[in-house]
Amino acid sequence: MNPVLIDGKALATKMRARLKTQVDAFRAERGAEIGLAVVLVGDDPASQVYVRNKIKACEEVGIRSYSYKLPEETSEEELASLLDELVKAKNVHGILVQLPLPKHLDERKILRLIPPAKDVDGFCAENLGNLAMNRETIVSCTPFGVMKMLEEYGIDPKGKRAVVLGRSNIVGKPMAMLLLNADATVTVCHSKTRNLNKICAEADILVVAIGKAKFVTADMVKEGAVVIDVGMDRDENGKLCGDVDFEAVKNKASFITPVPGGVGPMTITMLLYNTVVAASRS
Ligand code: NAP
């Protein structure tokens, strides 16, 4: 089988052009900029790259970014006081605290300080709860991006058997809820799942988010399945790869996402999207 490559990069470019138009319209109508505050604590190199990419993406569509780089030893009180200012600021429509935070800061406690309306990552309990109840909400960027990719390629989850591999609060769980809300029959697998290979091989849509390089092999994929690889790993040669053994699996899939160039570019795009939504609801 010759699979269709799901091109996340192309879709991201298309969506960003549309977002730029919406950002311009917001500015014209309200006489104000859409603003996203990005808070980074410490000097984790990967986090610095992510933050830089997010700020660059904001510039691309005309969202004003406010960047706060705090030292590693920042106290909970100092961070809370900055967040309090950002929550009150009228020019800030979305607040993003780059994770992971340094060990001495309680992530859950800090994230609770961001109100749902400005939680453009869609991480807070209220936004996740609304998603579980299929109500209007802000959806976690990565799984939201996956849904946009399925939509773009005319893949309707309705009635399909979907298997989500991974159950993290930011990817696996919201992914499963989105697929369920789209009328798929969803199974969530994790590290304690028995008969994992067999369950995966039953999937019409298989979404993999576990962080294990090339974990999903051809025997775990049904002929004609749609395979979405969220993983961002390194192979034995240090080369970027996904959780799916792409070369082995691609001949069985009808649609497949590459790594890089699949889910990755959509994640930041959905952050921009969520920021525009948060601003328009404000
Ligand atoms: P995470 O919080 O570490 O969660 C991993 C999940 O995978 C857990 O639920 C874990 O099960 C499950 N798991 C681990 N090993 C397994 C195994 N051998 N068999 C079955 N399940 C297994 O990871 P995450 O934040 O969801 O991220 C997952 C991957 O996606 C990572 O590679 C990450 O870099 C990538 N990611 C990419 C993007 C993007 O934009 N492309 C965004 C976010 C994340 P338990 O719950 O039982 O421990």
Side-chain angles (χ1 to χ4, degrees):
M1 183 173 281
N2 238 345
V4 174
L5 268 193
I6 299 184
D7 188 342
K9 214 168 153 195
L11 178 56
T13 304
K14 194 163 108 181
M15 283 191 72
R16 286 183 197 193
R18 227 180 288 148
L19 284 167
K20 188 170 184 328
T21 313
Q22 287 172 260
V23 172
D24 292 343
F26 183 96
R27 192 183 301 112
E29 276 165 31
R30 303 221 197 166
E33 304 277 352
I34 295 181
L36 173 68
V38 182
V39 181
L40 173 66
V41 187
D43 36 36
D44 176 62
S47 293
Q48 285 180 355
V49 174
Y50 293 142
V51 161
R52 226 176 12 248
N53 289 341
K54 287 169 187 176
I55 290 170
K56 210 170 126 222
C58 282
E59 279 165 14
E60 202 185 308
V61 300
I63 292 175
R64 175 92 189 261
S65 62
Y66 303 93
S67 168
Y68 298 87
K69 293 202 171 96
L70 307 180
E72 181 85 21
E73 60 278 8
T74 301
S75 69
E76 215 158 85
E77 292 68 32
E78 285 165 326
L79 183 53
S81 145
L82 169 64
L83 290 175
D84 185 48
E85 269 175 47
L86 297 174
V87 169
K88 289 178 187 148
K90 290 247 177 328
N91 56 333
V92 171
H93 302 96
I95 303 171
L96 180 158
V97 174
Q98 185 63 44
L99 301 180
L101 286 170
K103 294 256 178 303
H104 66 281
L105 297 170
D106 182 341
E107 226 160 72
R108 278 175 61 184
K109 206 164 146 192
I110 293 297
L111 291 182
R112 271 207 296 268
L113 301 174
I114 304 172
K118 290 193 178 187
D119 166 38
V120 284
D121 262 333
F123 287 171
C124 77
E126 187 168 331
N127 281 331
L128 212 54
N130 281 334
L131 179 63
M133 289 188 274
N134 202 5
R135 291 183 186 156
E136 187 176 272
T137 188
I138 296 181
V139 182
S140 180
C141 302
T142 302
F144 198 13
V146 171
M147 293 308 284
K148 291 284 176 196
M149 293 168 106
L150 295 179
E151 195 185 310
E152 175 74 6
Y153 282 80
I155 301 159
D156 183 0
K158 189 174 181 173
K160 302 231 166 70
R161 180 77 196 277
V163 173
V164 179
L165 193 41
R167 58 172 166 181
S168 70
N169 290 335
I170 61 169
V171 187
K173 278 182 202 157
M175 187 74 250
M177 291 192 270
L178 283 164
L179 287 164
L180 186 61
N181 292 346
D183 295 326
T185 301
V186 185
T187 305
V188 183
C189 299
H190 46 79
S191 67
K192 311 289 183 295
T193 300
R194 290 187 195 148
N195 300 323
L196 185 74
N197 290 26
K198 184 170 168 283
I199 297 169
C200 289
E202 287 166 4
D204 301 310
I205 300 173
L206 177 63
V207 183
V208 192
I210 58 171
K212 297 251 163 2
K214 301 184 185 178
F215 181 87
V216 171
T217 45
D219 59 311
M220 296 167 77
V221 175
K222 181 163 96 175
E223 199 73 44
V226 174
V227 180
I228 307 288
D229 189 353
V230 178
M232 284 207 310
D233 316 305
R234 297 272 163 194
D235 70 10
E236 57 285 3
N237 304 314
K239 203 173 145 223
L240 187 64
C241 71
D243 290 344
V244 174
D245 185 347
F246 182 86
E247 284 308 316
V249 165
K250 71 171 195 230
N251 299 321
K252 286 183 100 177
S254 55
F255 292 85
I256 189 165
T257 58
V259 178
V263 176
M266 286 303 292
T267 296
I268 294 186
T269 304
M270 298 322 293
L271 170 71
L272 305 175
Y273 182 101
N274 284 346
T275 306
V276 172
V277 169
S280 59
R281 287 181 190 159
S282 68

